[in-house]
Amino acid sequence: MTAVFAPSGNFVACGGMDNMLTVYDINNRDASGAAKLVNEFAGYEGFLSSCRFLSDESVVTGSGDMKIMHWDVPNKTKIQSLDGHNGDIAALSLQPQDNQVFLTGSVDRTIRLWDLRTEACQQTFWGHEADVNSLAFHPSGRNFVTCSEDKTSRLWDIRSDQEVAIDW
């Protein structure tokens, strides 16, 4: 359900219905010729829907158990776990200027803005009438766009804490 390259392009993280995050080193091969397994991260009680590398050594994930987890890849340790959504997390997007800040979209119909430094949700955006399945920051980091099963795309402004446009 999700796959992403590390910033260096040397690693790939992926996961899905197996409730696990798996990280591979694509520059090294095992005996069968497949990309070498770096680590597997268990601990999810639901499918893994989204993951993003913060660096080659750190990844943040969203899952069907409503949790956000921040992992140390080389040491295979959980740095932190964040709660706040009341439904499966379906999407995750990093803020372009500061990858410690990110958005999550959920089947609880909300979008939440998080900061790993405070270990808490900073803002919650309401307006969709169904699951929020996709979202992305604008390159400025001040706005973002969402898509939902309510058949709308919406543009949001973080500074004013509101929706600024809707496309039916």
Side-chain angles (χ1 to χ4, degrees):
M1 292 186 66
T2 186
V4 65
F5 281 104
S8 68
N10 295 326
F11 302 97
V12 169
C14 58
M17 300 307 282
D18 60 355
N19 299 0
M20 188 177 300
L21 172 68
T22 307
V23 179
Y24 295 96
D25 180 344
I26 61 173
N27 293 322
N28 291 297
R29 304 289 173 186
D30 64 18
S32 72
K36 185 177 179 183
L37 176 68
V38 174
N39 268 323
E40 290 182 315
F41 301 85
Y44 299 97
E45 296 175 24
F47 59 89
L48 189 67
S49 60
S50 51
C51 62
R52 298 291 179 269
F53 276 97
L54 305 179
S55 69
D56 280 11
E57 295 81 32
S58 176
V59 65
V60 64
T61 63
S63 61
D65 60 7
M66 303 180 280
K67 291 192 183 304
I68 297 159
M69 293 195 196
H70 181 197
W71 298 97
D72 178 318
V73 174
N75 295 313
K76 195 179 177 183
T77 56
K78 183 173 20 174
I79 298 169
Q80 61 196 140
S81 180
L82 305 172
D83 295 309
H85 280 291
N86 296 312
D88 302 349
I89 296 169
L92 191 150
S93 180
L94 300 177
Q95 205 256 6
Q97 292 78 17
D98 181 358
N99 69 6
Q100 298 296 298
V101 175
F102 60 95
L103 294 164
T104 53
S106 172
V107 301
D108 68 8
R109 303 178 307 192
T110 68
I111 303 99
R112 295 182 187 258
L113 179 75
W114 305 86
D115 189 328
L116 291 172
R117 293 169 293 236
T118 64
E119 300 187 16
C121 176
Q122 304 299 300
Q123 282 176 271
T124 302
F125 298 87
W126 299 87
H128 280 293
E129 297 174 10
D131 303 2
V132 179
N133 294 324
S134 181
L135 50 78
F137 268 101
H138 183 272
S140 71
R142 293 187 299 266
N143 301 41
F144 63 94
V145 65
T146 57
C147 293
S148 169
E149 287 187 21
D150 66 9
K151 301 178 185 160
T152 65
S153 295
R154 298 172 190 237
L155 178 64
W156 306 82
D157 183 74
I158 293 171
R159 295 167 300 172
S160 66
D161 195 32
Q162 65 183 345
E163 177 185 307
V164 293
I166 185 170
D167 180 27
W168 295 94

PDB file of all heavy atoms in Angstrom, residues 68-84:
ATOM      1  N   ILE A  68       0.648   6.886  14.415  1.00  0.00           N
ATOM      2  CA  ILE A  68       1.795   7.396  13.684  1.00  0.00           C
ATOM      3  C   ILE A  68       3.018   6.922  14.470  1.00  0.00           C
ATOM      4  O   ILE A  68       3.067   7.084  15.693  1.00  0.00           O
ATOM      5  CB  ILE A  68       1.779   8.929  13.623  1.00  0.00           C
ATOM      6  CG1 ILE A  68       0.551   9.395  12.856  1.00  0.00           C
ATOM      7  CG2 ILE A  68       3.060   9.460  12.999  1.00  0.00           C
ATOM      8  CD1 ILE A  68       0.168  10.818  13.140  1.00  0.00           C
ATOM      9  N   MET A  69       3.962   6.301  13.759  1.00  0.00           N
ATOM     10  CA  MET A  69       5.171   5.833  14.433  1.00  0.00           C
ATOM     11  C   MET A  69       6.392   6.427  13.756  1.00  0.00           C
ATOM     12  O   MET A  69       6.450   6.529  12.538  1.00  0.00           O
ATOM     13  CB  MET A  69       5.235   4.315  14.441  1.00  0.00           C
ATOM     14  CG  MET A  69       4.163   3.690  15.293  1.00  0.00           C
ATOM     15  SD  MET A  69       4.531   1.976  15.615  1.00  0.00           S
ATOM     16  CE  MET A  69       2.938   1.401  16.176  1.00  0.00           C
ATOM     17  N   HIS A  70       7.354   6.799  14.573  1.00  0.00           N
ATOM     18  CA  HIS A  70       8.621   7.358  14.120  1.00  0.00           C
ATOM     19  C   HIS A  70       9.700   6.338  14.490  1.00  0.00           C
ATOM     20  O   HIS A  70       9.836   5.981  15.659  1.00  0.00           O
ATOM     21  CB  HIS A  70       8.844   8.702  14.820  1.00  0.00           C
ATOM     22  CG  HIS A  70      10.092   9.399  14.431  1.00  0.00           C
ATOM     23  ND1 HIS A  70      10.611  10.419  15.188  1.00  0.00           N
ATOM     24  CD2 HIS A  70      10.939   9.258  13.390  1.00  0.00           C
ATOM     25  CE1 HIS A  70      11.709  10.859  14.625  1.00  0.00           C
ATOM     26  NE2 HIS A  70      11.927  10.167  13.535  1.00  0.00           N
ATOM     27  N   TRP A  71      10.451   5.851  13.486  1.00  0.00           N
ATOM     28  CA  TRP A  71      11.405   4.761  13.671  1.00  0.00           C
ATOM     29  C   TRP A  71      12.839   5.196  13.410  1.00  0.00           C
ATOM     30  O   TRP A  71      13.104   5.976  12.495  1.00  0.00           O
ATOM     31  CB  TRP A  71      11.092   3.615  12.720  1.00  0.00           C
ATOM     32  CG  TRP A  71       9.771   2.968  12.908  1.00  0.00           C
ATOM     33  CD1 TRP A  71       8.614   3.219  12.218  1.00  0.00           C
ATOM     34  CD2 TRP A  71       9.451   1.937  13.845  1.00  0.00           C
ATOM     35  NE1 TRP A  71       7.607   2.409  12.667  1.00  0.00           N
ATOM     36  CE2 TRP A  71       8.088   1.605  13.667  1.00  0.00           C
ATOM     37  CE3 TRP A  71      10.187   1.259  14.823  1.00  0.00           C
ATOM     38  CZ2 TRP A  71       7.454   0.624  14.412  1.00  0.00           C
ATOM     39  CZ3 TRP A  71       9.540   0.278  15.567  1.00  0.00           C
ATOM     40  CH2 TRP A  71       8.200  -0.027  15.368  1.00  0.00           C
ATOM     41  N   ASP A  72      13.763   4.635  14.177  1.00  0.00           N
ATOM     42  CA  ASP A  72      15.204   4.704  13.936  1.00  0.00           C
ATOM     43  C   ASP A  72      15.541   3.451  13.132  1.00  0.00           C
ATOM     44  O   ASP A  72      15.482   2.338  13.662  1.00  0.00           O
ATOM     45  CB  ASP A  72      15.943   4.732  15.275  1.00  0.00           C
ATOM     46  CG  ASP A  72      17.450   4.758  15.125  1.00  0.00           C
ATOM     47  OD1 ASP A  72      17.995   4.030  14.261  1.00  0.00           O
ATOM     48  OD2 ASP A  72      18.100   5.478  15.892  1.00  0.00           O
ATOM     49  N   VAL A  73      15.883   3.602  11.860  1.00  0.00           N
ATOM     50  CA  VAL A  73      16.064   2.460  10.966  1.00  0.00           C
ATOM     51  C   VAL A  73      17.276   1.604  11.336  1.00  0.00           C
ATOM     52  O   VAL A  73      17.142   0.391  11.495  1.00  0.00           O
ATOM     53  CB  VAL A  73      16.123   2.918   9.489  1.00  0.00           C
ATOM     54  CG1 VAL A  73      16.452   1.757   8.555  1.00  0.00           C
ATOM     55  CG2 VAL A  73      14.800   3.566   9.082  1.00  0.00           C
ATOM     56  N   PRO A  74      18.486   2.172  11.491  1.00  0.00           N
ATOM     57  CA  PRO A  74      19.637   1.303  11.776  1.00  0.00           C
ATOM     58  C   PRO A  74      19.521   0.545  13.103  1.00  0.00           C
ATOM     59  O   PRO A  74      19.958  -0.597  13.202  1.00  0.00           O
ATOM     60  CB  PRO A  74      20.828   2.265  11.823  1.00  0.00           C
ATOM     61  CG  PRO A  74      20.376   3.507  11.168  1.00  0.00           C
ATOM     62  CD  PRO A  74      18.889   3.563  11.327  1.00  0.00           C
ATOM     63  N   ASN A  75      18.929   1.172  14.104  1.00  0.00           N
ATOM     64  CA  ASN A  75      18.835   0.543  15.422  1.00  0.00           C
ATOM     65  C   ASN A  75      17.542  -0.230  15.640  1.00  0.00           C
ATOM     66  O   ASN A  75      17.356  -0.835  16.700  1.00  0.00           O
ATOM     67  CB  ASN A  75      18.998   1.597  16.517  1.00  0.00           C
ATOM     68  CG  ASN A  75      20.375   2.205  16.479  1.00  0.00           C
ATOM     69  OD1 ASN A  75      21.374   1.497  16.390  1.00  0.00           O
ATOM     70  ND2 ASN A  75      20.434   3.524  16.500  1.00  0.00           N
ATOM     71  N   LYS A  76      16.638  -0.162  14.645  1.00  0.00           N
ATOM     72  CA  LYS A  76      15.347  -0.869  14.699  1.00  0.00           C
ATOM     73  C   LYS A  76      14.592  -0.561  16.000  1.00  0.00           C
ATOM     74  O   LYS A  76      14.074  -1.435  16.663  1.00  0.00           O
ATOM     75  CB  LYS A  76      15.542  -2.372  14.531  1.00  0.00           C
ATOM     76  CG  LYS A  76      14.244  -3.093  14.206  1.00  0.00           C
ATOM     77  CD  LYS A  76      14.438  -4.573  14.021  1.00  0.00           C
ATOM     78  CE  LYS A  76      13.097  -5.231  13.773  1.00  0.00           C
ATOM     79  NZ  LYS A  76      13.216  -6.672  13.652  1.00  0.00           N
ATOM     80  N   THR A  77      14.551   0.727  16.334  1.00  0.00           N
ATOM     81  CA  THR A  77      13.840   1.133  17.543  1.00  0.00           C
ATOM     82  C   THR A  77      12.787   2.175  17.213  1.00  0.00           C
ATOM     83  O   THR A  77      12.956   2.987  16.302  1.00  0.00           O
ATOM     84  CB  THR A  77      14.803   1.723  18.600  1.00  0.00           C
ATOM     85  OG1 THR A  77      15.524   2.811  18.005  1.00  0.00           O
ATOM     86  CG2 THR A  77      15.783   0.670  19.098  1.00  0.00           C
ATOM     87  N   LYS A  78      11.704   2.125  17.986  1.00  0.00           N
ATOM     88  CA  LYS A  78      10.651   3.126  17.844  1.00  0.00           C
ATOM     89  C   LYS A  78      11.071   4.349  18.635  1.00  0.00           C
ATOM     90  O   LYS A  78      11.341   4.268  19.832  1.00  0.00           O
ATOM     91  CB  LYS A  78       9.326   2.577  18.354  1.00  0.00           C
ATOM     92  CG  LYS A  78       8.179   3.543  18.163  1.00  0.00           C
ATOM     93  CD  LYS A  78       6.808   3.004  18.496  1.00  0.00           C
ATOM     94  CE  LYS A  78       6.762   1.809  19.368  1.00  0.00           C
ATOM     95  NZ  LYS A  78       5.421   1.397  19.774  1.00  0.00           N
ATOM     96  N   ILE A  79      11.127   5.496  17.972  1.00  0.00           N
ATOM     97  CA  ILE A  79      11.485   6.751  18.623  1.00  0.00           C
ATOM     98  C   ILE A  79      10.274   7.316  19.344  1.00  0.00           C
ATOM     99  O   ILE A  79      10.366   7.764  20.480  1.00  0.00           O
ATOM    100  CB  ILE A  79      12.041   7.763  17.598  1.00  0.00           C
ATOM    101  CG1 ILE A  79      13.329   7.211  16.967  1.00  0.00           C
ATOM    102  CG2 ILE A  79      12.281   9.118  18.246  1.00  0.00           C
ATOM    103  CD1 ILE A  79      13.807   7.993  15.760  1.00  0.00           C
ATOM    104  N   GLN A  80       9.125   7.279  18.680  1.00  0.00           N
ATOM    105  CA  GLN A  80       7.899   7.775  19.291  1.00  0.00           C
ATOM    106  C   GLN A  80       6.676   7.238  18.558  1.00  0.00           C
ATOM    107  O   GLN A  80       6.758   6.806  17.414  1.00  0.00           O
ATOM    108  CB  GLN A  80       7.874   9.295  19.345  1.00  0.00           C
ATOM    109  CG  GLN A  80       7.927   9.982  18.005  1.00  0.00           C
ATOM    110  CD  GLN A  80       8.278  11.453  18.099  1.00  0.00           C
ATOM    111  OE1 GLN A  80       9.008  11.926  17.286  1.00  0.00           O
ATOM    112  NE2 GLN A  80       7.770  12.180  19.049  1.00  0.00           N
ATOM    113  N   SER A  81       5.557   7.270  19.264  1.00  0.00           N
ATOM    114  CA  SER A  81       4.266   6.885  18.720  1.00  0.00           C
ATOM    115  C   SER A  81       3.294   8.008  19.028  1.00  0.00           C
ATOM    116  O   SER A  81       3.238   8.485  20.164  1.00  0.00           O
ATOM    117  CB  SER A  81       3.806   5.575  19.359  1.00  0.00           C
ATOM    118  OG  SER A  81       2.556   5.191  18.855  1.00  0.00           O
ATOM    119  N   LEU A  82       2.549   8.445  18.021  1.00  0.00           N
ATOM    120  CA  LEU A  82       1.625   9.558  18.178  1.00  0.00           C
ATOM    121  C   LEU A  82       0.200   9.086  17.936  1.00  0.00           C
ATOM    122  O   LEU A  82      -0.062   8.347  16.985  1.00  0.00           O
ATOM    123  CB  LEU A  82       1.963  10.676  17.192  1.00  0.00           C
ATOM    124  CG  LEU A  82       3.394  11.214  17.225  1.00  0.00           C
ATOM    125  CD1 LEU A  82       3.620  12.157  16.075  1.00  0.00           C
ATOM    126  CD2 LEU A  82       3.678  11.876  18.545  1.00  0.00           C
ATOM    127  N   ASP A  83      -0.705   9.513  18.788  1.00  0.00           N
ATOM    128  CA  ASP A  83      -2.120   9.187  18.657  1.00  0.00           C
ATOM    129  C   ASP A  83      -2.922  10.468  18.469  1.00  0.00           C
ATOM    130  O   ASP A  83      -2.522  11.525  18.931  1.00  0.00           O
ATOM    131  CB  ASP A  83      -2.627   8.480  19.919  1.00  0.00           C
ATOM    132  CG  ASP A  83      -1.965   7.132  20.127  1.00  0.00           C
ATOM    133  OD1 ASP A  83      -1.947   6.334  19.178  1.00  0.00           O
ATOM    134  OD2 ASP A  83      -1.464   6.890  21.234  1.00  0.00           O
ATOM    135  N   GLY A  84      -4.077  10.332  17.818  1.00  0.00           N
ATOM    136  CA  GLY A  84      -4.945  11.495  17.657  1.00  0.00           C
ATOM    137  C   GLY A  84      -6.104  11.236  16.723  1.00  0.00           C
ATOM    138  O   GLY A  84      -7.191  11.761  16.917  1.00  0.00           O
TER     139      GLY A  84
END
